[in-house]
Amino acid sequence: MSLSPGDPGSASALGGTLRTQAGRLADLVVELDDAAARVARTGAADPSARERDLVTRAATELDRVGGLLQSWTTTAVESAAGLRSLEPALAHSDLVVHGQLVVERSGPSRVEPERRLAERERLQELLNRVTAVRARELARLRRELEASHASLAALSDRARSGS
């Protein structure tokens, strides 16, 4: 499972779609509950209890994954904003971000070497903060998505086995 950078807008849209579908499944459970209540009034056994349980669990996981995708979008946008906030200081000191490092721009610089070094160290610390927050959030999202994946796999196995 990868949470590599992608299109935050598409991830958010997918998250919203999953949450919408979760709502539709929840509506289906309500309809099944109504039908089960009618059957129970006749004294017959409820034939849809297992299906309602499966649909409820699937709706819960779809909502959870949709929320996680939208949370990832927020993290990606905030990280990009944090990086953009460093750009003026980087440009003023003839520095650039290369990967996760603040490095000197190639070519001659009009900035004094001592000042440039101090600014590079300061900006590197700020960049480290931005990337650390993003890394922690992505690790949390990865753990939650893996747990959701395991839950959906168990749900699928349960549905196949008929228990």
Side-chain angles (χ1 to χ4, degrees):
M1 182 174 302
S2 172
L3 286 174
S4 62
D7 177 22
S10 295
S12 181
L14 177 59
T17 299
L18 290 176
R19 296 187 100 180
T20 298
Q21 295 307 314
R24 288 182 180 166
L25 285 176
D27 292 343
L28 178 60
V29 170
V30 169
E31 291 175 19
L32 288 172
D33 283 340
D34 291 344
R38 285 192 301 275
V39 169
R41 284 193 297 265
T42 67
D46 178 9
S48 65
R50 184 174 152 271
E51 287 80 7
R52 284 195 325 269
D53 181 51
L54 291 173
V55 172
T56 299
R57 290 175 187 225
T60 300
E61 288 305 314
L62 281 176
D63 186 61
R64 181 177 176 194
V65 170
L68 291 172
L69 285 171
Q70 290 179 327
S71 179
W72 175 83
T73 299
T74 301
T75 300
V77 169
E78 287 173 353
S79 294
L83 183 57
R84 277 193 309 276
S85 72
L86 300 178
E87 288 176 356
L90 288 164
H92 188 262
S93 299
D94 287 334
L95 300 168
V96 295
V97 173
H98 183 70
Q100 293 185 5
L101 297 175
V102 175
V103 296
E104 296 178 2
R105 187 183 314 268
S106 61
S109 174
R110 295 181 181 179
V111 180
E112 296 175 20
E114 297 82 24
R115 185 173 168 275
R116 191 176 193 186
L117 177 62
E119 192 65 2
R120 186 172 121 208
E121 289 172 355
R122 183 184 77 80
L123 291 171
Q124 182 65 57
E125 178 61 32
L126 293 173
L127 180 62
N128 290 346
R129 290 179 192 168
V130 168
T131 56
V133 167
R134 182 175 188 269
R136 277 192 306 272
E137 180 64 10
L138 289 178
R140 182 189 71 81
L141 292 173
R142 180 175 285 113
R143 285 189 306 274
E144 289 190 32
L145 283 171
E146 287 170 351
S148 182
H149 175 73
S151 178
L152 286 173
L155 181 64
S156 176
D157 291 345
R158 185 174 173 199
R160 267 187 254 132
S161 69
S163 57

